[in-house]
Amino acid sequence: MPKRSDLGNALLDSRKLLLGLVFSMPFLYLLSGLYSVGGEQRGIHYRFGKLINDNVPPGMHYHLPYPIESVVLLPASRIRSMEVDYSQLGTQMQAKELLTGDENLVSMKLLVEYSVAESGAFIHNSQDAEAVLLQLAYAQGALAVARWDIDALLTSGRHRLQQELKLNLQRLLNTLQLGIRISSVQIRQLEPPATVKRAFEQANTAKAEQLKWVQDAKAQRSSRLAESRANIRQYRLQADATANELLKRSEGDSQRLQLQINEYSKAPSTMGPRIYSEMLERVLDKAQLQIFSPSQDHQ
Amino acid sequence: MKLKWIMSLSGFVLAVFALSTMLVPVSESHIAVVSQFGKIVEVRKESGLLVKLPEPLQVVTLLDKRQQLLPLDSMEFITRDGRNVVADSFVLWRISDAQKFLRSVRNVDVANVRLRDLALSEIGSALGNSPLSALINTQASDTALTALFTQIRDSSSQKAMEAFGVTISAIYPSRLSLPQPLIADVYKRMSAERGRIAQQLRAEGQEEAAKIKADTEYEVRRMQAEAYRDSQIVQGEAEAEADRIYASVYESHPEFYQYLRSLQSYEKILNEKTRLVISTETPVFKYLWSAPESRDAQTQ
């Protein structure tokens, strides 16, 4: 029967296929252990739940198939960040500021950057390592602020506070073995409470005014000094010139006199009357003269 | 033949079931507690494959051995010197003695309630034992507050371990503040303080500016005085030198100098306004009316 032979043929074909499937099953099962780890990821390799390698590098890898071994992928090398905002804490009605060492209040916000240092510890040493990190960061911030006075916090202490927070937080994370490495702790906000901000701004303005006054006074000083230096220089030069003039004149005069004396010494009887006559000419030329002759009246 | 098939099939199914309940993989996060008819026979802390008797005979309970976070509500505490402080805090704990844990609190929710009470009372008594000034101050190196919380952690951990097999790895305040009614006073005080600082800064600025101005004035006047002194010296020296030069000449022929000087004086004294009445008998006019006589007559 052609019909039966068709069916037989079909059965024969599918039997081959089924057999092929049955024989390939174990291979497929074994192949199911192939996995790849992405560039930013790390693989964590378990055998019967026991961790055997928590740092499988990126690339193609193989693990024994389920249920013997398994792998969890973790985006480990990525830097993560977390905002530590104290206004998220407490109840609605409470003020959100932190107590400082000198019993003032400041409002603060931090940014923590971190990455997974040990995947195994990160996953298995706490239920939620990141939630723990957040709480620890809150705590370190609050404890640090309670050791500082408000002026240091708001002005010079910022950088030191960041360093201190990073150091303390990392030390604590190491003690608690949370498998986290802190890259940085940044102070995002550190300012006086909103209610008293105006008073702080006014104090800052006063500081600026103080500086301005001093700057102005210094500027005035330097221009005043320059001006008087110039005046004094001129005065000194004038005095020198006067003195010099005096000296030169005296030299000239005295030399002239000396020459006259020399002449006079040579012929006193002629020079004396001559000088006298010259003087008379000059004097009487200018003066108003009235001449009378007593001897004529007599005559 | 058919019975044999059924027998072997059911045997296989049973074996698979028994094997599956006999082998339990324990993960890194868990403690496995094996109990036999309600009695705990084994506590396994290590991860890996656990082998036990099949299901109805031995049952396994998995407990989370990781550190768990328990945030505590904001609470007001009173220090020894009667100051009120508000603290939000948290507890980090883990199951350490699984047997004791299961016997005393059974599950995590109950444990959280008990731990909360324990931690708050420990914090309260520790804060009540020290004055506020010992806890917060402005010495950055003073770690009294951190030390206090370490001490709170140690004593709570010891009590928690004894009572329900739990160790506490950290208790910290996540925020320290003051009670709401006191905060308004603090704001007022802070404002007043800033006002005082502003006033002081202004006063200091004015003082310094005035000082700079006075210094400048002083310096200018000093410079002027020095210049005056120097110029007087220079001129005096020049005058002295001039006198010396004159004198050296005068001394060489004093009478002639006297004569010359007198002539110069006359020249200066007499000018256009001077009115002179002169007799023709003055020697100048000696030759006005009379011609010079002969030499002989003159000598006579």
Side-chain angles (χ1 to χ4, degrees):
Chain A
M1 271 165 99
K3 221 179 188 179
R4 195 181 155 187
S5 76
D6 274 3
L7 191 70
N9 279 340
L11 255 172
L12 215 68
D13 285 354
S14 57
R15 214 164 100 190
K16 263 186 196 160
L17 200 71
L18 277 169
L19 264 174
L21 273 175
V22 166
F23 278 111
S24 64
M25 283 283 250
F27 293 106
L28 286 174
Y29 174 65
L30 286 175
L31 278 177
S32 74
L34 276 173
Y35 66 100
S36 80
V37 178
E40 280 197 333
Q41 294 175 318
R42 287 291 179 276
I44 307 169
H45 194 173
Y46 301 96
R47 182 174 300 148
F48 292 121
K50 186 179 174 61
L51 193 150
I52 51 176
N53 183 5
D54 73 346
N55 196 15
V56 181
M60 273 308 277
H61 300 279
Y62 181 74
H63 69 79
L64 291 175
Y66 179 85
I68 303 164
E69 291 188 350
S70 62
V71 161
V72 170
L73 298 175
L74 194 73
S77 59
R78 207 183 66 214
I79 300 271
R80 309 170 191 216
S81 66
M82 170 187 288
E83 198 182 48
V84 183
D85 183 357
Y86 286 88
S87 64
Q88 304 290 320
L89 290 174
T91 55
Q92 199 98 59
M93 291 301 291
Q94 283 176 324
K96 302 302 182 191
E97 288 102 23
L98 289 171
L99 195 59
T100 64
D102 51 355
E103 291 183 46
N104 286 310
L105 295 164
V106 283
S107 79
M108 183 160 85
K109 217 182 263 185
L110 305 171
L111 187 84
V112 180
E113 287 190 324
Y114 61 97
S115 59
V116 178
E118 291 167 69
S119 315
F122 184 74
I123 292 178
H124 298 297
N125 249 330
S126 62
Q127 276 188 343
D128 185 348
E130 285 170 303
V132 176
L133 170 63
L134 178 64
Q135 290 297 327
L136 292 174
Y138 275 133
Q140 286 305 314
L143 290 174
V145 165
R147 288 200 298 267
W148 290 62
D149 65 88
I150 189 158
D151 289 312
L153 283 170
L154 294 179
T155 55
S156 55
R158 227 178 150 94
H159 184 68
R160 230 184 85 201
L161 183 62
Q162 287 183 4
Q163 295 300 313
E164 190 185 309
L165 285 177
K166 187 190 167 191
L167 211 72
N168 288 347
L169 197 52
Q170 186 65 65
R171 199 177 296 150
L172 201 53
L173 289 169
N174 293 348
T175 315
L176 297 171
Q177 295 181 324
L178 290 175
I180 291 174
R181 187 190 307 114
I182 300 291
S183 315
S184 72
V185 177
Q186 293 161 29
I187 295 173
R188 267 303 159 88
Q189 185 200 55
L190 183 58
E191 49 189 36
T195 324
V196 293
K197 220 167 176 177
R198 237 175 74 83
F200 274 80
E201 276 161 11
Q202 279 169 353
N204 285 343
T205 316
K207 177 89 195 157
E209 267 173 41
Q210 180 205 26
L211 286 178
K212 193 180 166 297
W213 281 331
V214 173
Q215 292 295 320
D216 285 355
K218 280 184 179 162
Q220 269 177 22
R221 174 189 163 83
S222 60
S223 68
R224 176 106 169 79
L225 284 181
E227 188 194 325
S228 63
R229 267 197 301 269
N231 287 343
I232 284 164
R233 198 176 132 79
Q234 201 183 355
Y235 179 75
R236 279 176 187 276
L237 281 175
Q238 263 169 10
D240 283 354
T242 311
N244 197 30
E245 215 170 71
L246 193 69
L247 217 58
K248 290 285 179 286
R249 283 173 89 113
S250 73
E251 278 169 13
D253 287 351
S254 64
Q255 274 180 26
R256 182 178 167 198
L257 185 64
Q258 187 66 58
L259 290 172
Q260 282 176 326
I261 289 171
N262 291 348
E263 282 307 302
Y264 182 73
S265 315
K266 277 182 208 156
S269 55
T270 42
M271 197 176 164
R274 183 175 64 77
I275 298 172
Y276 176 71
S277 303
E278 279 170 13
M279 184 274 289
L280 268 187
E281 274 166 27
R282 282 199 295 276
V283 170
L284 298 184
D285 182 41
K286 282 186 272 177
Q288 297 169 29
L289 276 185
Q290 260 188 352
I291 304 170
F292 69 97
S293 169
S295 54
Q296 258 186 347
D297 280 353
H298 236 268
Q299 277 174 354
Chain B
M1 186 71 181
K2 207 169 187 181
L3 192 74
K4 202 179 160 192
W5 262 103
I6 291 166
M7 284 281 281
S8 60
L9 194 72
S10 57
F12 178 73
V13 168
L14 261 174
V16 166
F17 172 74
L19 211 67
S20 73
T21 66
M22 278 172 77
L23 300 174
V24 182
V26 180
S27 106
E28 287 288 341
S29 307
H30 290 123
I31 305 177
V33 181
V34 182
S35 44
Q36 193 170 320
F37 303 122
K39 187 170 170 270
I40 294 169
V41 290
E42 193 192 347
V43 176
R44 261 247 340 224
K45 283 188 166 182
E46 298 79 35
S47 53
L49 200 62
L50 172 79
V51 185
K52 64 169 184 69
L53 294 180
E55 187 67 3
L57 301 175
Q58 288 191 337
V59 182
V60 69
T61 314
L62 292 174
L63 288 175
D64 201 327
K65 70 175 178 189
R66 294 177 296 179
Q67 301 180 85
Q68 308 193 28
L69 187 65
L70 169 63
L72 305 176
D73 297 337
S74 250
M75 281 286 285
E76 202 169 317
F77 302 97
I78 302 174
T79 61
R80 201 176 67 193
D81 50 348
R83 308 286 303 276
N84 295 38
V85 206
V86 170
D88 296 19
S89 40
F90 66 91
V91 178
L92 199 60
W93 64 278
R94 75 181 346 149
I95 298 169
S96 197
D97 186 336
Q99 215 163 337
K100 199 179 264 177
F101 182 82
L102 284 175
R103 219 174 32 229
S104 57
V105 292
R106 300 220 58 82
N107 62 44
V108 170
D109 291 336
V110 179
N112 275 341
V113 173
R114 303 267 308 261
L115 277 168
R116 188 180 162 278
D117 294 344
L118 172 69
L120 286 178
S121 82
E122 287 289 321
I123 296 173
S125 72
L127 288 179
N129 267 332
S130 33
L132 186 63
S133 58
L135 303 177
I136 66 162
N137 50 54
T138 54
Q139 273 125 15
S141 56
D142 191 342
T143 52
L145 194 57
T146 313
L148 184 81
F149 274 91
T150 310
Q151 183 198 318
I152 293 171
R153 181 200 67 193
D154 291 344
S155 68
S156 320
S157 184
Q158 201 187 336
K159 283 178 187 163
M161 185 66 199
E162 275 167 23
F164 29 92
V166 158
T167 52
I168 293 173
S169 44
I171 293 183
Y172 280 114
S174 41
R175 190 176 69 106
L176 282 174
S177 190
L178 295 171
Q180 202 58 36
L182 294 183
I183 281 185
D185 290 344
V186 174
Y187 286 162
K188 226 177 274 172
R189 196 192 69 218
M190 286 172 83
S191 280
E193 202 172 80
R194 287 304 125 176
R196 188 177 55 69
I197 289 172
Q199 216 166 15
Q200 192 187 335
L201 286 173
R202 288 207 174 88
E204 279 173 9
Q206 276 163 342
E207 185 192 345
E208 200 175 340
K211 186 178 170 301
I212 290 171
K213 274 180 197 155
D215 281 356
T216 310
E217 201 52 43
Y218 173 79
E219 217 163 304
V220 166
R221 285 173 66 177
R222 184 176 55 79
M223 273 158 47
Q224 282 172 344
E226 277 173 7
Y228 176 77
R229 179 198 64 196
D230 292 351
S231 70
Q232 289 300 310
I233 290 172
V234 166
Q235 287 189 11
E237 277 171 352
E239 277 161 8
E241 176 71 10
D243 282 350
R244 198 185 53 71
I245 292 167
Y246 281 131
S248 69
V249 178
Y250 305 155
E251 278 158 13
S252 71
H253 209 307
E255 303 110 78
F256 178 72
Y257 174 69
Q258 283 291 332
Y259 172 55
L260 205 66
R261 192 73 191 82
S262 306
L263 293 186
Q264 279 172 358
S265 299
Y266 302 153
E267 225 173 307
K268 280 228 172 95
I269 294 162
L270 304 176
N271 55 27
E272 292 88 343
K273 286 172 193 157
T274 319
R275 200 177 182 86
L276 280 177
V277 180
I278 307 172
S279 160
T280 46
E281 282 179 4
T282 40
V284 198
F285 301 110
K286 190 169 101 186
Y287 300 108
L288 191 62
W289 307 124
S290 54
E293 294 156 26
S294 67
R295 190 163 266 248
D296 299 342
Q298 206 177 4
T299 46
Q300 267 184 355

